[in-house]
Amino acid sequence: MFGNWGRSTGRAAGTVRTVGALRGQSAPVTHGLIAVCCLVFVIGPASGLGPAYGTGDELLSAQRAYFERWGVVPVELFQGRPRALGTPATALFVHGSWLHLLGNMLFLYVFGAMTEERMGRFRFALFYLGCGYLALLGYAGAHAGSAQTLVGASGAISAVLGAFLYLFPKARVTSLFPFLFFLPLRFPAWVVLPFWVSLQWLAAGRATQGPGVAYLAHLLGFSAGFLYAWVRYGRPARVKSPATATEGENQP
């Protein structure tokens, strides 16, 4: 995913995401989250690096069991199983493929640092985990009868994008649009991020239940992040010397 089902990378044609080098001065929580997600992925079966998980069908079986153990299975979540109640939190640290992991971590690296610097470390950590939990919980509620497994940090990272849009709407973003042959164009965040949300909205309307990208989790996370920043901070902060960012195509 940004929010992924199971092992699928769910790459969506025409999806545009913002990536680049907007950074705050100090962001230990953001960097720590990236480190934990990368470590969890490398030691898990999805990376394909652990010989203990075997190869071929044996590896695929290990991956399915791993995702079912740590990911969100909506039908189990709403059956009231105690263990399942924690999965919207654990799923935030589990990713289905290298592309899934790297895409999410790049977004978190770009937008998380400035957002963390504005919110403060402790508040940002709670914001990230809380919004991510709610995004996955909301998606599971909309698909309460599904036995598909949902993993990935996309809901939480979408919340960071929503907060970033409110806090730094004039930050300049250099974007690479696939449908314009990756021509670099510079736009403020208030143009780029709403465009990204519109793509998620359109994709969510066409999405079917099953393996793919959890677009609804993106929308829920983004909305939660934007509303939190609006209620908590009131007037957006001014960006005096915005850095440059790049935007490319990726999955969530």
Side-chain angles (χ1 to χ4, degrees):
M1 139 173 132
F2 235 60
N4 229 42
W5 286 99
R7 295 179 294 103
S8 172
T9 60
R11 189 178 181 87
T15 300
V16 176
R17 306 226 186 257
T18 305
V19 295
L22 280 171
R23 295 189 295 274
Q25 297 300 314
S26 177
V29 174
T30 296
H31 299 153
L33 289 169
I34 292 172
V36 171
C37 286
C38 290
L39 178 61
V40 169
F41 181 78
V42 167
I43 65 177
S47 68
L49 299 178
Y53 296 110
T55 59
D57 291 341
E58 185 180 4
L59 177 60
L60 293 178
S61 178
Q63 290 174 346
R64 283 193 294 269
Y66 183 76
F67 295 139
E68 289 172 0
R69 173 65 180 84
W70 301 108
V72 178
V73 181
V75 68
E76 294 184 2
L77 182 63
F78 291 100
Q79 285 177 351
R81 300 181 182 181
R83 184 196 64 80
L85 296 177
T87 57
T90 59
L92 295 175
F93 300 92
V94 178
H95 291 82
S97 68
W98 283 98
L99 181 62
H100 187 194
L101 172 73
L102 295 176
N104 274 355
M105 295 305 99
L106 184 56
F107 271 75
L108 180 55
Y109 176 71
V110 171
F111 294 103
M114 287 182 68
T115 307
E116 177 185 343
E117 188 174 12
R118 177 71 175 88
M119 291 185 177
R121 299 172 184 177
F122 182 71
R123 193 183 302 275
F124 176 77
L126 292 181
F127 162 81
Y128 181 91
L129 295 174
C131 288
Y133 189 101
L134 291 175
L136 296 185
L137 183 65
Y139 187 95
H143 301 85
S146 174
Q148 294 287 343
T149 305
L150 179 66
V151 298
S154 298
I157 296 172
S158 294
V160 173
L161 297 183
F164 186 94
L165 174 61
Y166 186 81
L167 295 172
F168 308 105
K170 296 182 180 180
R172 302 293 294 183
V173 178
T174 299
S175 307
L176 298 178
F177 293 93
F179 53 85
L180 292 179
F181 304 101
F182 296 95
L183 179 67
L185 300 172
R186 297 191 70 207
F187 297 101
W190 66 266
V191 172
V192 174
L193 292 179
F195 178 69
W196 174 82
V197 171
S198 297
L199 292 179
Q200 305 307 298
W201 181 271
L202 293 173
R206 298 193 303 267
T208 58
Q209 186 172 337
V213 180
Y215 296 106
L216 179 58
H218 302 177
L219 294 172
L220 293 173
F222 188 92
S223 299
F226 186 90
L227 289 174
Y228 172 82
W230 178 39
V231 172
R232 174 66 179 80
Y233 296 99
R235 182 175 300 177
R238 292 184 178 181
V239 180
K240 296 182 179 179
S241 301
T244 304
T246 22
E247 181 169 353
E249 180 185 5
N250 199 11
Q251 78 162 47

